[in-house]
Amino acid sequence: MNYARELIVAPGHKVKLKDIDPGFHGRHESSDAAAPETAAYLEKLGRLQYTLYAERAHSLLIVLQGIDAAGKDGVCRHVIGAMNPQGCAVTGFKQPTAEERGHDFLWRVHRHAPELGQVAIFNRSHYEDVLVVRVHDLAPKETWSLRYDHINAFEKLLADSGTTILKFFLWISKEEQLERFKQRLDDPARRWKISDSDYKEREYWDDYVKAYEDMLERCSTDRAPWYVIPSNHKWFRNLAVSQIICEAMEGMKLQMPKPTVDLDQIRKAYHKASKE
Ligand code: AMP
Ligand code: MG
């Protein structure tokens, strides 16, 4: 199944998240059944990224959004795990600092956009400024409502500069979120992730859903599409995300750069002795 086609939000299309099953898992029945395919995509991803890095003609920006415990950190680990860390950067966006608040909302984001040859992953992003900011009235509607157009213009600038943009909205159910919080509480290695605000934010679930739906409708564009990734099953999430990234990178028609030196000349000059 082609998940890029299946899960993309068509530009301008109205999204109703309640109609999208967060437990969807395509044609695979289990983690074990999906594992070989996912492994093959990850292997391919590693090779594609190596060429992207060598060629320095394109860059890739991956944007991750989703409610707490939706799996943003998991996707970062998964995708980066397949790549050479030298060509990747992950940026997590938290509450803006006082200095950042003194600038336009894209100021802190733009400097983390990937340079040619690089992959950048945003763990949360400029979209927080139409999500948490909207849900909690951190800015008036007159301010945040203009931001969709600003975001589209910003992403067009990046795309026109050689950046391929993929945006993944990780969609889990409210029950799955509670279950994941509980697992975090019970697991000494993951307790640190739990905060009071996680539970408080659950009360705003419906407001977030509305904000997500508007974000998906208004900011999925041909050059920077949104994908809604059903994420109750982590293994399906990983499969879908890695397949979509692979397909996009294949579409870049990446090529190993030609050597900048005359190889024959170098061979003759430095390797003659070893040949003889
Ligand atoms: P975490 O990703 O769990 O480390 O949490 C980061 C927190 O920062 C989340 O609660 C986000 O909603 C919040 N955050 C990120 N960007 C913004 C923003 N532009 N304005 C306000 N809060 C933000
Ligand atoms: Mg959190």
Side-chain angles (χ1 to χ4, degrees):
M1 192 180 276
N2 181 296
Y3 295 120
R5 225 173 303 135
E6 185 90 359
L7 305 176
I8 197 168
V9 176
H13 185 79
K14 220 174 179 53
V15 179
K16 277 275 156 236
L17 286 173
K18 71 170 170 38
D19 296 338
I20 300 178
D21 176 10
F24 175 79
H25 51 72
R27 66 183 172 81
H28 293 292
E29 282 309 317
S30 67
S31 169
D32 285 349
E37 206 174 308
T38 306
Y41 286 127
L42 292 178
E43 212 262 324
K44 201 193 265 181
L45 210 57
R47 275 185 279 129
L48 287 162
Q49 186 237 351
Y50 185 73
T51 314
L52 178 99
Y53 181 74
E55 192 184 23
R56 285 185 65 85
H58 306 262
S59 57
L60 175 65
L61 171 62
I62 296 168
V63 172
L64 301 176
Q65 287 292 164
I67 206 100
D68 292 308
K72 301 182 291 297
D73 295 352
V75 171
C76 286
R77 262 198 319 275
H78 193 74
V79 172
I80 290 286
M83 296 186 179
N84 178 351
Q86 192 150 255
C88 304
V90 181
T91 308
F93 290 93
K94 312 269 180 197
Q95 289 182 11
T97 62
E99 188 191 21
E100 288 167 349
R101 272 199 299 275
H103 291 268
D104 70 83
F105 77 106
L106 293 170
W107 181 78
R108 67 172 183 158
V109 178
H110 200 167
R111 57 192 284 262
H112 295 289
E115 67 180 83
L116 296 177
Q118 296 279 318
V119 178
I121 301 187
F122 287 177
N123 187 341
R124 301 187 190 269
S125 66
H126 41 298
Y127 283 96
E128 289 292 320
D129 290 278
V130 291
L131 295 170
V132 66
V133 168
R134 169 177 171 170
V135 168
H136 290 289
D137 287 322
L138 303 179
K141 184 171 184 188
E142 302 85 80
T143 303
W144 61 253
S145 62
L146 296 176
R147 289 179 174 164
Y148 301 97
D149 290 342
H150 289 309
I151 288 173
N152 289 336
F154 169 61
E155 291 178 355
K156 180 176 187 318
L157 169 69
L158 298 185
D160 288 348
S161 312
T163 303
T164 295
I165 306 170
L166 299 172
K167 302 180 296 198
F168 297 112
F169 170 63
L170 308 181
W171 173 228
I172 57 169
S173 62
K174 206 172 173 185
E175 300 73 39
E176 176 67 17
Q177 187 197 41
L178 193 61
E179 178 55 33
R180 289 187 185 184
F181 284 173
K182 188 174 170 299
Q183 284 168 6
R184 285 181 180 182
L185 280 181
D186 295 344
D187 179 354
R190 283 191 289 170
R191 272 175 204 158
W192 65 273
K193 277 195 170 195
I194 285 284
S195 70
D196 226 14
S197 74
D198 287 341
Y199 289 90
K200 284 207 198 90
E201 286 300 277
R202 272 174 71 74
E203 293 168 24
Y204 297 91
W205 186 275
D206 294 344
D207 295 334
Y208 271 108
V209 164
K210 200 166 175 343
Y212 288 133
E213 287 175 343
D214 283 352
M215 163 193 92
L216 294 167
E217 180 186 341
R218 299 202 51 187
C219 297
S220 194
T221 57
D222 288 330
R223 70 187 86 86
W226 270 112
Y227 297 88
V228 177
I229 308 292
S231 296
N232 274 9
H233 299 288
K234 294 175 183 174
W235 57 266
F236 176 75
R237 173 201 79 196
N238 290 340
L239 170 68
V241 166
S242 49
Q243 188 199 69
I244 293 168
I245 300 173
C246 267
E247 190 179 301
M249 291 184 86
E250 278 171 337
M252 292 179 188
K253 305 276 177 258
L254 302 168
Q255 290 192 334
M256 276 294 172
K258 297 221 166 11
T260 51
V261 293
D262 183 335
L263 299 186
D264 274 342
Q265 209 177 4
I266 290 193
R267 262 188 213 110
K268 269 184 214 140
Y270 298 105
H271 297 281
K272 214 170 165 193
S274 62
K275 263 195 189 168
E276 282 168 354

